[in-house]
Amino acid sequence: MKPKIKTALPLAMVLILWQLASMAVSPLFVPSPASVLDEFVSLLTNGQLVYGLVYSFWRITAASLLAAAVSLPLGMLVFYSSTAKAIILPITNLMRFLPITAFYPLLILWFGIGEQMKISFLFLATFVYMLPSVVLAFQEVSPDLMLTARTLSMNRFQILTMVLLPSTLPSILQTFTMMYGIGWTYIAVCEQINAKYGIGYIIYTSTARGRTAISFAGILTIILVSMAFDWLANKLIRHFFSWRFQDAHTA
């Protein structure tokens, strides 16, 4: 079976099941694919979808960059310091079990209902996954590579800039791409309160008003944008770091 057919078949099955479900229940619960498409086009033409994407994109980007800016130094600290490793690693293991949405009311208490709260929520949602991944990327650096660097009398800064970062950068960028996708999955939560624009705002207000087709259109937008970003980012990473993936394919 051709790859295109393999991709099209599951999509066709989902659309068929979706259509059947919309025929069996009220549109308030499950709107038809055609009505969702109409609302999607309407949101796109009136500019509401574009404004929502711009605001959501800014919030997710700011939070993801902040998570990367904190995770990288902490990951390096764990790599170089046994004391930091003993303190930070247990914390990173516990972070996987944090109920992120449970922090939403606390963040409102601490930061109010403005942009600071939204970005801090998205930062927390991405950081708890990014830091352990960065630490793992540093730990997977070949000991032989590090030994060779020390044999060549490289100092710590040289090892960091000429060995550690170049060898782990593809994995770190792939992690960042995945964390960016996680940000899109949480955007509907953080834009429920005091957000005039945003995809999450569109989903929340439309659901509250019983306009489920618009909510579905917002969800569809998140899926499409996340898939497009993931595809483009991974393609660029594989292009600029082809040596890494060629070695993996050969192995």
Side-chain angles (χ1 to χ4, degrees), residues 43 47-59 115 118 184 187-188 190-192 195-206 218 221-222:
L43 288 172
Q48 189 176 354
L49 189 62
V50 176
Y51 276 111
L53 281 173
V54 169
Y55 275 80
S56 295
F57 181 81
W58 178 82
R59 288 167 181 143
E115 291 298 319
K118 296 175 180 61
W184 280 105
I187 194 67
C190 81
E191 290 181 340
Q192 289 182 8
K196 294 182 179 179
Y197 300 103
I199 299 299
Y201 168 78
I202 293 173
I203 294 171
Y204 177 72
T205 54
S206 301
T221 300
I222 290 176

Side-chain angles (χ1 to χ4, degrees), residues 29 35 39 46 57 77-78 80 98 149 179 184 203 246 249:
F29 299 105
S35 64
E39 293 293 355
N46 65 23
F57 181 81
L77 190 62
V78 168
Y80 278 117
L98 282 179
M179 297 309 104
W184 280 105
I203 294 171
Q246 285 174 357
H249 181 72

Side-chain angles (χ1 to χ4, degrees), residues 64-131:
S64 299
L65 290 175
L66 185 59
V70 176
S71 298
L72 279 173
L74 284 179
M76 295 175 194
L77 190 62
V78 168
F79 183 79
Y80 278 117
S81 171
S82 57
T83 303
K85 182 177 181 179
I87 296 173
I88 296 175
L89 273 185
I91 296 175
T92 59
N93 291 330
L94 289 173
M95 285 166 61
R96 294 178 300 166
F97 305 103
L98 282 179
I100 304 302
T101 52
F103 279 84
Y104 195 61
L106 289 174
L107 292 173
I108 293 175
L109 177 65
W110 295 337
F111 300 110
I113 57 175
E115 291 298 319
Q116 192 176 8
M117 178 275 294
K118 296 175 180 61
I119 293 175
S120 63
F121 176 78
L122 292 172
F123 163 78
L124 186 62
T126 53
F127 176 72
V128 295
Y129 294 105
M130 188 163 191
L131 179 57

Side-chain angles (χ1 to χ4, degrees), residues 15 18-19 22 31-40 213:
L15 288 174
W18 181 1
Q19 179 64 38
S22 68
S32 67
S35 64
V36 172
L37 181 60
D38 288 341
E39 293 293 355
F40 179 84

Side-chain angles (χ1 to χ4, degrees), residues 65-247:
L65 290 175
L66 185 59
V70 176
S71 298
L72 279 173
L74 284 179
M76 295 175 194
L77 190 62
V78 168
F79 183 79
Y80 278 117
S81 171
S82 57
T83 303
K85 182 177 181 179
I87 296 173
I88 296 175
L89 273 185
I91 296 175
T92 59
N93 291 330
L94 289 173
M95 285 166 61
R96 294 178 300 166
F97 305 103
L98 282 179
I100 304 302
T101 52
F103 279 84
Y104 195 61
L106 289 174
L107 292 173
I108 293 175
L109 177 65
W110 295 337
F111 300 110
I113 57 175
E115 291 298 319
Q116 192 176 8
M117 178 275 294
K118 296 175 180 61
I119 293 175
S120 63
F121 176 78
L122 292 172
F123 163 78
L124 186 62
T126 53
F127 176 72
V128 295
Y129 294 105
M130 188 163 191
L131 179 57
S133 298
V134 170
V135 170
L136 182 62
F138 286 137
Q139 288 178 333
E140 289 181 344
V141 175
S142 171
D144 294 336
L145 192 62
M146 299 300 296
L147 181 61
T148 301
R150 293 189 182 98
T151 303
L152 294 173
S153 300
M154 289 185 178
N155 56 39
R156 286 192 172 186
F157 180 76
Q158 289 174 322
I159 292 175
L160 173 65
T161 56
M162 299 174 66
V163 178
L164 189 61
L165 284 178
S167 62
T168 58
L169 195 55
S171 296
I172 291 173
L173 288 175
Q174 284 187 316
T175 296
F176 180 82
T177 300
M178 185 172 64
M179 297 309 104
Y180 204 87
I182 289 175
W184 280 105
T185 64
Y186 280 104
I187 194 67
V189 177
C190 81
E191 290 181 340
Q192 289 182 8
I193 297 177
N194 193 39
K196 294 182 179 179
Y197 300 103
I199 299 299
Y201 168 78
I202 293 173
I203 294 171
Y204 177 72
T205 54
S206 301
T207 304
R209 295 169 184 170
R211 303 189 66 181
T212 317
I214 297 180
S215 301
F216 270 62
I219 295 170
L220 179 63
T221 300
I222 290 176
I223 294 172
L224 292 176
V225 170
S226 299
M227 289 176 62
F229 180 84
D230 185 76
W231 176 82
L232 179 60
N234 279 295
K235 198 169 185 64
L236 290 173
I237 291 170
R238 288 180 175 274
H239 173 73
F240 288 108
F241 301 96
S242 56
W243 53 268
R244 168 68 178 270
F245 301 99
Q246 285 174 357
D247 290 345

